[in-house]
């Protein structure tokens, strides 16, 4: 799909073409399940938190890759509703890492035209985390090139329950509830649906992530563990996306009569 940001300058177009990517058919919205931090750390004889800390470098690389390729929206599944059940030490470390990263990266992100926001049960996050998210949500002063969406304390089932409660609070009649109505009550109301979902670490699951919004997304699974994920892996996923025939339930082009 051609997006407002999918007209990168000539140098970028050359980089993309050299990587086998058509700059005019880059997905507008890419969603990522960042998985494998714990295994990456264990393989090195380290605690799981070591893997999360190294995962921040992969977040940076992925943001760079999204900017480089002209992706307009990037959603990262950073902390699920279920992640609250992990040991308290790990949860605390993840929240600290998040706050620290937001403090350190906010200026840099702004200067690159990245606007950051969160979806999920933000009220359940530690106050320091909420404050940092509040601070950065203004976004850059100039043009926005990329909306970086962090899914925090998020799960699709939580999101759907919230949406249904809101629709009931608004006294909607059954007839008023259409797919587009539901779209408007989800956390992602003002975002296009992801066209591509990437999951790292060799797991082939969606794990309660954007179940409604991923209805027609292309799914790319890679065995790379999240802390090893770099721009070349992101480009692999975009190439994979561009090689798929997107049918949305219709017949393939080749079998259609003109
Ligand atoms: C899954 O790996 C990863 C997470 C639960 C957390 C993701 C967090 C980061 C990448 C770092 C901070 C993020 C930002 C946005 C600053 P896992 O622990 O489930 O790995 P495993 O499956 O190998 O156990």
């Amino acid at each position: 799909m051609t997006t407002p940001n999918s007209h990168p300058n000539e140098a970028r177009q050359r980089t993309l073409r050299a990587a086998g990517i058509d700059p005019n058919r880059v997905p507008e919205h890419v969603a990522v399940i960042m998985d494998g931090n714990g295994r990456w750390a264990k393989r090195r004889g380290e605690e799981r938190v070591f893997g999360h800390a190294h995962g921040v470098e992969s977040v940076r690389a992925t943001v760079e890759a999204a900017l480089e390729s002209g992706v307009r929206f990037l959603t990262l599944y950073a902390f699920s509703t279920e992640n609250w059940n992990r040991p308290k030490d790990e949860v605390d470390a993840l929240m600290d890492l998040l706050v620290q990263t937001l403090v350190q990266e906010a200026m840099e992100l702004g200067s690159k035209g990245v606007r950051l926001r969160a979806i999920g049960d933000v009220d359940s996050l530690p106050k320091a985390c909420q404050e940092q998210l509040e601070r950065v949500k203004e976004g850059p002063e100039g043009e926005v090139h990329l909306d970086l969406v962090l899914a925090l304390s998020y799960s699709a089932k939580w999101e759907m329950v919230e949406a249904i409660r809101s629709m009931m609070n608004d006294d909607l009649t059954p007839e008023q509830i259409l797919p587009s109505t539901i779209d408007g009550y989800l956390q992602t109301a003002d975002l296009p649906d992801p066209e591509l979902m990437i999951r790292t670490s060799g797991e082939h699951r969606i794990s309660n992530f954007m179940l409604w919004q991923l209805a027609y997304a292309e799914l790319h699974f890679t065995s790379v563990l999240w802390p090893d994920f770099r721009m070349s892996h992101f480009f692999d996923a975009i190439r994979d996306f561009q090689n798929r025939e997107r049918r949305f339930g219709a017949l393939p082009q080749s079998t259609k009569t003109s």
Side-chain angles (χ1 to χ4, degrees):
M1 176 184 280
T2 305
T3 68
N5 196 35
S6 64
H7 299 291
N9 63 35
E10 279 182 27
R12 279 190 187 157
Q13 294 220 15
R14 272 197 300 276
T15 307
L16 293 177
R17 290 195 197 283
I21 293 170
D22 176 351
N24 299 311
R25 289 195 303 119
V26 168
E28 185 178 25
H29 185 175
V30 177
V32 186
I33 302 181
M34 311 181 284
D35 196 12
N37 294 351
R39 276 164 282 169
W40 189 90
K42 285 278 170 255
R43 283 180 195 174
R44 287 161 177 76
E46 299 282 352
E47 295 299 319
R48 303 172 52 77
V49 173
F50 184 73
H52 298 318
H54 278 265
V56 175
E57 191 50 43
S58 307
V59 170
R60 281 192 201 101
T62 304
V63 168
E64 282 300 323
L67 284 166
E68 192 68 24
S69 51
V71 165
R72 182 62 186 76
F73 300 91
L74 174 69
T75 299
L76 302 178
Y77 203 5
F79 193 87
S80 71
T81 309
E82 292 75 23
N83 286 156
W84 288 115
N85 299 323
R86 292 194 177 193
K88 185 177 179 313
D89 282 358
E90 186 177 346
V91 171
D92 289 348
L94 267 169
M95 291 299 153
D96 286 349
L97 196 57
L98 189 66
V99 171
Q100 203 184 310
T101 307
L102 290 172
V103 170
Q104 283 170 3
E105 308 283 329
M107 289 261 285
E108 174 93 12
L109 289 173
S111 71
K112 290 179 174 162
V114 180
R115 180 168 56 195
L116 200 145
R117 58 186 269 197
I119 56 170
D121 187 9
V122 172
D123 292 345
S124 68
L125 299 171
K127 276 280 164 291
C129 199
Q130 292 185 41
E131 281 164 16
Q132 288 308 319
L133 288 168
E134 194 57 37
R135 193 175 66 85
V136 297
K137 83 170 184 209
E138 283 291 300
E141 280 179 15
E143 199 184 341
V144 176
H145 297 302
L146 175 71
D147 274 287
L148 172 59
V149 183
L150 298 182
L152 292 168
S153 192
Y154 170 88
S155 73
K157 289 192 177 184
W158 168 83
E159 176 183 43
M160 289 198 195
V161 168
E162 289 297 304
I164 292 164
R165 285 181 179 156
S166 300
M167 286 188 278
M168 294 187 78
N169 281 334
D170 288 349
D171 290 328
L172 295 195
T173 62
E175 293 71 29
Q176 285 176 302
I177 302 177
L178 304 170
S180 58
T181 323
I182 297 175
D183 284 340
Y185 275 86
L186 296 177
Q187 298 276 302
T188 49
D190 56 342
L191 301 175
D193 285 346
E195 290 163 284
L196 170 64
M197 193 283 286
I198 303 171
R199 181 172 188 152
T200 60
S201 90
E203 305 294 344
H204 293 185
R205 285 190 296 280
I206 299 186
S207 298
N208 215 349
F209 182 49
M210 301 183 100
L211 297 179
W212 177 271
Q213 300 89 332
L214 292 175
Y216 283 104
E218 297 297 330
L219 308 180
H220 174 87
F221 298 102
T222 169
S223 57
V224 174
L225 300 178
W226 180 251
D228 290 328
F229 193 84
R230 291 294 178 270
M231 190 179 287
S232 65
H233 303 116
F234 191 85
F235 283 179
D236 289 345
I238 301 221
R239 250 194 326 272
D240 187 18
F241 169 84
Q242 293 190 339
N243 287 330
R244 309 268 180 98
E245 187 182 0
R246 307 198 72 214
R247 290 164 47 182
F248 304 97
L251 289 173
Q253 290 297 328
S254 53
T255 60
K256 277 187 191 160
T257 49
S258 53

